[in-house]
Amino acid sequence: MSSKEKPTLGGTRIKTRKRNIAAPLDPAAFADAVVQIYLDNAGDLELVAKNLESSDLNFSRYGDTFFEVVFTGGRTQPGTIKPDEGERHPYSVIECEAKREAILPSVIYIQKILRRRPFLIKNLENVMRRFLQSLELFEDNERKKLAIFTALAFSQKLSGLPPETVFQPLLKDNLVVKGLVLSFITDFFKEYLVDNSLDDLISILKRGKMEDNLLDFFPSAKRSPEGFSEHFTKEGLVPLVEYNEKKIFEVKLKEMKSALTTQIAEESDISEVIENVKQRVKDAKLPDIEVVRILWDVIMDAVQWSGKNQQQNANSALRQVKTWAKLLNSFCSSGKLELELMYKVQMQCYEDAKLMKLFPEIVKSLYDQDVLAEDTILYWFRKGSNPKGRQTFVKALEPFVNWLEEAEEEE
């Protein structure tokens, strides 16, 4: 038998860890308190901001509710913009006049709030996203106010507001098909461009991943380049129309260049290549000068260049010119276009060291293949306007020009 006492739990206190007991959510009381501050200060946003700063209101818990009060004058029912029970004030963004001078103070006021409480930017995003996804629930005038507010928010560089917060929620099919998104985005563009450049607007669209998708704002019946131009021209946004037309033009040029590069690399039948280019030029309404420039670029890009063997490079370039001369000839249909080709050859030979000495040989080859006429070469030699490397190239071409002039005299 052991004489040791057996252990016992008698009299032992078991310590329990204290836990924070969360207070129940009470957004209604928070909203009423904020509304009262608006009412007490008669909507003077400077005084409202000061009183909010000195209050002990829990913004971190009720950030969404705060911005509901800012935008609509009180709380909204979950998932809607309908007013919820509780006090309301008449100094909200929705109650302002649909003018920038009436809405700008609210933007500046929110900027001050965000500087003191930067964590609220997420709540602002939440509320704006919800409102923009519910545009059909607002009146026309209220949608315009939201558009003006949004434009001024970006114009004033409202702390950290990302463009995708605005643009992506707008792309709901039911909003687009009713034309609500187009109306909103038009008001947004017009207001933003009052104080900012088109480049600034394009920068925002890029950040919002919308620069290449502007037609997505249009109902399907109007979703075309022509519909875009007609709408925004009517709204006085001609620079935006010109930008979009340039963008479309560049895309079509790029598509043609890509298709042509593939055909030349695959050594397709030249007649087939010519027909393909003609069809693309017709469909895209591409100007002849751009077509000539692209043809030359693609033809020369396909040359297999040797590292340092100048003679091999010369042979490769001249062989390529001879192979695709018929393609060039099909589109150099006037003296003006022939001259443009000469300028293009001049620029490439000037910018590429391995081609510098090939200029006269390339010009002679183009002449031999009936791509360049004698008059075009003589005009370039006597009056050519592009100064890049001109003195060097004129001197190099002089023997060939002398031969042309002698042949002309003999005839």
Side-chain angles (χ1 to χ4, degrees):
M1 296 282 298
S2 172
S3 60
K4 291 183 179 179
E5 292 184 13
K6 292 182 178 180
T8 177
L9 293 176
T12 302
R13 291 186 65 184
I14 299 174
K15 293 183 178 180
T16 58
R17 187 170 58 184
K18 293 181 180 179
R19 291 179 174 81
N20 292 327
I21 301 174
L25 286 171
D26 190 4
F30 176 88
D32 288 346
V34 174
V35 168
Q36 194 58 52
I37 291 175
Y38 270 90
L39 295 173
D40 290 345
N41 294 282
D44 185 324
L45 295 179
E46 189 74 33
L47 294 176
V48 171
K50 288 180 180 178
N51 279 271
L52 288 173
E53 177 65 22
S54 61
S55 72
D56 57 357
L57 292 171
N58 192 345
F59 285 90
S60 60
R61 204 169 194 201
Y62 302 112
D64 283 16
T65 302
F66 171 69
F67 285 112
E68 289 174 7
V69 174
V70 170
F71 278 100
T72 69
R75 265 199 321 147
T76 59
Q77 295 178 15
T80 74
I81 63 163
K82 293 179 181 178
D84 207 345
E85 295 178 359
E87 297 292 327
R88 309 193 73 77
H89 70 84
Y91 310 108
S92 65
V93 173
I94 294 300
E95 293 296 328
C96 289
E97 284 187 86
K99 297 179 179 178
R100 65 186 346 252
E101 55 269 24
I103 296 173
L104 182 58
S106 292
V107 177
I108 295 171
Y109 158 72
I110 291 175
Q111 182 75 286
K112 290 178 181 178
I113 298 293
L114 291 176
R115 282 173 184 161
R116 296 184 179 113
R117 295 181 172 87
F119 60 86
L120 285 175
I121 187 65
K122 286 297 179 186
N123 302 104
L124 175 60
E125 288 180 44
N126 293 340
V127 173
M128 286 193 69
R129 187 180 296 112
R130 176 150 50 91
F131 285 173
L132 293 176
Q133 287 175 332
S134 307
L135 279 181
E136 75 272 24
L137 302 178
F138 290 95
E139 300 294 331
D140 288 345
N141 204 35
E142 293 173 339
R143 285 193 287 270
K144 184 170 185 177
K145 294 170 189 177
L146 282 177
I148 294 173
F149 174 89
T150 306
L152 290 173
F154 284 119
S155 186
Q156 294 292 317
K157 298 178 173 57
L158 196 64
S159 301
L161 185 65
E164 55 267 28
T165 296
V166 173
F167 299 128
Q168 296 305 319
L170 291 172
L171 298 178
K172 288 178 65 178
D173 290 343
N174 64 311
L175 299 179
V176 174
V177 76
K178 294 175 183 176
L180 301 179
V181 174
L182 182 57
S183 176
F184 177 91
I185 211 70
T186 301
D187 288 333
F188 171 86
F189 287 164
K190 289 167 76 172
E191 188 59 46
Y192 184 80
L193 289 171
V194 170
D195 291 328
N196 302 276
S197 68
L198 182 63
D199 288 342
D200 294 328
L201 177 59
I202 300 306
S203 176
I204 287 178
L205 292 171
K206 282 182 180 177
R207 286 162 50 208
K209 300 179 177 59
M210 289 304 305
E211 181 204 10
D212 298 324
N213 305 299
L214 292 178
L215 284 178
D216 290 353
F217 294 133
F218 283 71
S220 55
K222 298 181 179 179
R223 194 173 294 170
S224 67
E226 295 75 20
F228 185 100
S229 298
E230 181 182 347
H231 173 76
F232 285 116
T233 298
K234 183 179 177 182
E235 294 293 337
L237 295 173
V238 174
L240 183 63
V241 173
E242 292 172 346
Y243 167 83
N244 191 59
E245 289 175 347
K246 182 182 177 184
K247 188 89 177 167
I248 293 171
F249 174 73
E250 289 171 350
V251 168
K252 289 178 178 177
L253 280 183
K254 189 175 180 181
E255 288 173 349
M256 191 186 86
K257 188 172 183 178
S258 176
L260 186 58
T261 298
T262 300
Q263 285 191 301
I264 287 181
E266 294 174 350
E267 298 182 350
S268 301
D269 180 77
I270 196 162
S271 298
E272 182 183 331
V273 177
I274 290 171
E275 285 307 310
N276 176 52
V277 174
K278 283 183 177 179
Q279 190 60 48
R280 286 183 175 274
V281 169
K282 180 181 177 182
D283 293 343
K285 300 176 182 177
L286 300 174
D288 294 336
I289 285 179
E290 291 296 338
V291 175
V292 169
R293 290 170 181 166
I294 286 177
L295 290 177
W296 182 256
D297 281 339
V298 173
I299 288 170
M300 296 310 288
D301 286 345
V303 175
Q304 300 296 317
W305 301 108
S306 171
K308 296 182 180 179
N309 191 323
Q310 185 67 19
Q311 188 56 49
Q312 192 172 334
N313 283 335
N315 293 338
S316 297
L318 296 175
R319 185 165 53 249
Q320 190 77 338
V321 169
K322 186 175 181 180
T323 301
W324 297 101
K326 186 178 177 182
L327 175 61
L328 290 168
N329 200 18
S330 297
F331 294 93
C332 289
S333 53
S334 67
K336 181 180 179 181
L337 294 173
E338 290 177 21
L339 186 61
E340 185 59 39
L341 178 60
M342 277 204 75
Y343 285 140
K344 186 66 182 174
V345 174
Q346 176 187 347
M347 284 302 299
Q348 187 169 23
C349 290
Y350 174 76
E351 292 171 353
D352 192 336
K354 64 179 173 287
L355 295 178
M356 181 70 79
K357 295 181 180 179
L358 293 184
F359 179 77
E361 294 181 64
I362 292 174
V363 172
K364 184 177 184 303
S365 179
L366 290 169
Y367 171 78
D368 291 339
Q369 302 300 323
D370 293 328
V371 177
L372 294 179
E374 177 182 332
D375 289 346
T376 302
I377 297 171
L378 292 176
Y379 182 90
W380 178 92
F381 184 81
R382 294 164 183 164
K383 300 181 180 180
S385 58
N386 193 322
K388 299 291 180 68
R390 177 168 171 76
Q391 286 185 321
T392 301
F393 295 140
V394 165
K395 187 174 181 181
L397 197 61
E398 191 170 3
F400 179 58
V401 169
N402 290 338
W403 179 83
L404 288 175
E405 291 174 333
E406 290 170 5
E408 187 178 19
E409 288 175 3
E410 288 175 8
E411 291 177 3

